[in-house]
Amino acid sequence: MNLKTLSNGDYAVFFIYFIIVASYGWWVYKRKHNADATSKDYFLAEGSLTWWAIGASLIASNISAEQFIGTSGSAFKMGLAISTYEWMAAITLIIVAVFFIPVYLKNKIFTMPQFLHQRYNGTVAMIMAIFWLLLYIVVNLMSILYLGALAVSGISGLDIHLCIWLLAIFSAVITLGGMKVIGYTDVIQVAVLILGGLMASYLALTLLSEKEGTTGLLNGFKILHSEATDHFHMIFKKDNPNYMDLPGLSVLIGGMWITNLNYWGCNQYITQRALGANLKTARGGILFAAFLKLLMPVIVVLPGIAAYLLYQKGMFHQEMASSSGVLDPNKAYPSLLNLLPSGLKGLSFAALTAAIVASLAGKANSIATIFTLDIYKKAINPEATDKKLVNLGKISVLVALLLGILLSELIGKALMGEGKQGFQYIQEYTGFVSPGIFAMFILGFFWKKATSNAALFATIGGFIFSCFFKLCPRFIDLSFLSPYGFSKLALQDDKVTKLYEIPFLDRMGFVFILCVVGMYIISKIDQARGITTNGLEIDGSMFKTSRGFLAGALIVTGIVVALYSIFW
């Protein structure tokens, strides 16, 4: 029996899901569409998304192939520790809701390049707009398409190249309706993907309990915890083979904060959901997303750990092997879903597809927004009408998805296949630019004296510093840095050479500090030369929250602290 197939019942369930999402999206489009809609209304759904739609859309855009496939694969390899990206994100979302979103809304900022233009100058904004486009297409769009297609192919048996095209087409249909359609259809997508993820966890735990001659979810979890103890630690010691990916306390006091704050607070792809709402609605949606993030490890991490233990017990050996016979952690989640019965497998397949399509749609919309409003409107055709901008945005969506397809076909396997962790690929290569970007944003927010020259230094210098710390161990002996948590590696030849590679989270922390120091020095020099800056409109009252929001924030924080205490 070939497990990599879908039955007629599975296809029926999937097509029902497809029809529901497409029909609802069409209904939203027709009901809320305005032929004279402005470009901001199309790209941002200005003022029309509710708090629950914003929260659901944030999660739907965040949980894509790199979450279901990449995070489960990382959980297979390193265990519960990968949950730090989810649980730290819950705290990060609260910080963003309190300190970042009020600044954006008070200053009527709708895109990240617009913020840079308003705070610094057009040069900084244009450089970063182009840079973000490249990052979104080359790293994010490509990874979502490739990992998503890998999963869909692993479950359905369809050719991976066909899956890449089908996912792109499905997401294009959703994206072309604009941010309103994306936001409201994401509510359905989130419900389906959470249900499908919970089913995968249920299947994994019941399988474990049955293998040990017992029944029930609780027994399955007890078996998982007792027999895979090494996979239930949140903080790694230096002798852990996964230390380079999650270097000890750096996940609590180091580079993990930069990763999360940059992603959730300085990322057009994410903040776009809240930028069209009022402050109360935006904060409510972000808090809702924070609660949902607490649930994510149950959906995307627990199945990966369970798949690891099942693999140790003799299952999935063939299913998780790559074409060259190498163990591929990215196949953990699809291998687990293949064991579901007909109908339920179709629902989980729909959930996985929902996550991929929602993330692709959100990413493509953000790419179109930045290109249309921040590049074309600013530098190419300042007199363009809203109708022309909306039409150009739709064309940009199609072009971006086509580029994503081509990149997935050409280099997706080389970067994320053959036993590599797709999730870690995304985090590391995004980390080449995020320290500089975050330094530029955080000083731009809260230090009025930061200048445009300092921002350019962070933009370009941050990337150069990241490359230096990544490559220099091959040329410079960094052994004197080893007490700070760097790991000794051996070169790939017969000669034994001292080589100290910096964990990428630690590297991000060092680069961020260098960028902040450099921005401070350059800004002081500029001030001495009489160069003025453009401050933002900020006052203390912006950061006050309602009692309801504060209570929710305290609950989220308490849960996260308790989880780290339990699984330290």
Side-chain angles (χ1 to χ4, degrees), residues 491-511:
L491 290 175
Q492 300 295 322
D493 56 28
D494 295 333
K495 296 180 180 179
V496 179
T497 306
K498 286 185 178 180
L499 177 64
Y500 287 80
E501 184 174 347
I502 305 171
F504 73 87
L505 285 174
D506 286 344
R507 183 181 73 218
M508 289 171 63
F510 280 109
V511 172

Side-chain angles (χ1 to χ4, degrees), residues 45 83 130 208 250 270 336 357 379 397 407 454 485 493 501 524 546:
S83 299
I130 294 171
L208 283 172
S250 288
I270 293 300
L336 196 59
V357 168
V397 166
L407 288 170
D493 56 28
E501 184 174 347
K524 285 295 185 181
S546 66

Side-chain angles (χ1 to χ4, degrees), residues 100 104 112-113 115-116 120 124 127-129 131-133 135-136 258-259 261-263 265-268 429-445 454-463 466 508 511-512 515-516 519:
F100 286 42
Y104 290 138
M112 298 301 98
F115 162 79
L116 297 176
Y120 296 112
V124 175
I127 290 174
M128 286 309 303
F131 197 79
W132 266 312
L133 286 184
L135 180 69
Y136 286 170
I258 298 169
T259 296
L261 286 168
N262 178 71
Y263 179 84
C266 312
N267 186 347
Q268 178 71 28
Y429 285 94
T430 302
F432 273 83
V433 298
S434 52
I437 294 174
F438 183 59
M440 180 170 51
F441 268 77
I442 203 71
L443 266 67
F445 278 148
L456 283 173
F457 166 80
T459 303
I460 300 170
F463 179 74
S466 295
M508 289 171 63
V511 172
F512 173 73
C515 287
V516 169
M519 285 188 69

Side-chain angles (χ1 to χ4, degrees), residues 157-218:
L158 297 173
D159 180 73
I160 188 172
H161 305 291
L162 175 62
C163 292
I164 288 173
W165 280 91
L166 290 176
L167 288 172
I169 292 170
F170 192 178
S171 61
V173 172
I174 299 295
T175 313
L176 293 177
M179 195 64 212
K180 288 176 184 175
V181 174
I182 295 171
Y184 281 103
T185 54
D186 278 351
V187 176
I188 299 177
Q189 313 270 48
V190 153
V192 173
L193 68 88
I194 288 177
L195 179 60
L198 290 174
M199 284 171 43
S201 296
Y202 172 82
L203 170 68
L205 294 178
T206 51
L207 273 174
L208 283 172
S209 61
E210 289 171 2
K211 274 190 166 293
E212 298 298 321
T214 62
T215 58
L217 286 175
L218 186 59

Side-chain angles (χ1 to χ4, degrees), residues 191-398:
V192 173
L193 68 88
I194 288 177
L195 179 60
L198 290 174
M199 284 171 43
S201 296
Y202 172 82
L203 170 68
L205 294 178
T206 51
L207 273 174
L208 283 172
S209 61
E210 289 171 2
K211 274 190 166 293
E212 298 298 321
T214 62
T215 58
L217 286 175
L218 186 59
N219 286 331
F221 182 78
K222 288 179 179 178
I223 293 168
L224 183 63
H225 187 264
S226 62
E227 296 190 23
T229 307
D230 59 324
H231 273 51
F232 279 90
H233 294 290
M234 292 297 298
I235 306 299
F236 290 150
K237 296 180 180 179
K238 291 183 183 179
D239 59 354
N240 191 295
N242 299 301
Y243 184 85
M244 290 295 291
D245 291 322
L246 293 173
L249 289 176
S250 288
V251 301
L252 294 179
I253 58 175
M256 183 63 73
W257 283 109
I258 298 169
T259 296
N260 275 292
L261 286 168
N262 178 71
Y263 179 84
W264 293 102
C266 312
N267 186 347
Q268 178 71 28
Y269 171 52
I270 293 300
T271 54
Q272 189 163 341
R273 270 95 186 123
L275 293 183
N278 60 50
L279 181 58
K280 182 179 179 181
T281 303
R283 277 181 169 165
I286 294 172
L287 181 61
F288 179 46
F291 274 101
L292 291 176
K293 288 301 284 183
L294 296 176
L295 183 64
M296 290 305 107
V298 178
I299 296 172
V300 297
V301 175
L302 202 57
I305 301 174
Y308 162 79
L309 187 55
L310 290 168
Y311 182 86
Q312 299 300 315
K313 293 179 178 291
M315 297 184 66
F316 307 141
H317 282 239
Q318 183 177 352
E319 290 82 1
M320 292 190 60
S322 66
S323 57
S324 60
V326 177
L327 173 64
D328 188 352
N330 292 322
K331 293 186 176 182
Y333 195 84
S335 298
L336 196 59
L337 293 190
N338 274 321
L339 299 179
L340 285 169
S342 177
L344 291 180
K345 184 178 178 181
L347 182 61
S348 293
F349 182 63
L352 188 60
T353 306
I356 298 164
V357 168
S359 196
L360 282 173
K363 186 64 71 178
N365 184 268
S366 294
I367 290 169
T369 302
I370 291 176
F371 175 76
T372 305
L373 299 184
D374 295 301
I375 296 179
Y376 183 81
K377 176 75 172 174
K378 294 278 174 55
I380 301 175
N381 187 2
E383 305 301 322
T385 63
D386 276 328
K387 183 177 181 180
K388 185 169 186 177
L389 291 175
V390 170
N391 290 333
L392 180 63
K394 293 178 179 180
I395 295 172
S396 302
V397 166
L398 298 177

Side-chain angles (χ1 to χ4, degrees), residues 441-485:
F441 268 77
I442 203 71
L443 266 67
F445 278 148
F446 304 114
W447 191 44
K448 291 184 178 181
K449 296 180 180 180
T451 64
S452 57
N453 288 329
L456 283 173
F457 166 80
T459 303
I460 300 170
F463 179 74
I464 293 173
F465 283 138
S466 295
C467 292
F468 173 78
F469 280 118
K470 172 68 175 177
L471 300 175
C472 72
R474 297 194 176 276
F475 309 101
I476 302 172
D477 183 1
L478 294 179
S479 58
F480 67 94
L481 292 173
S482 59
Y484 298 96

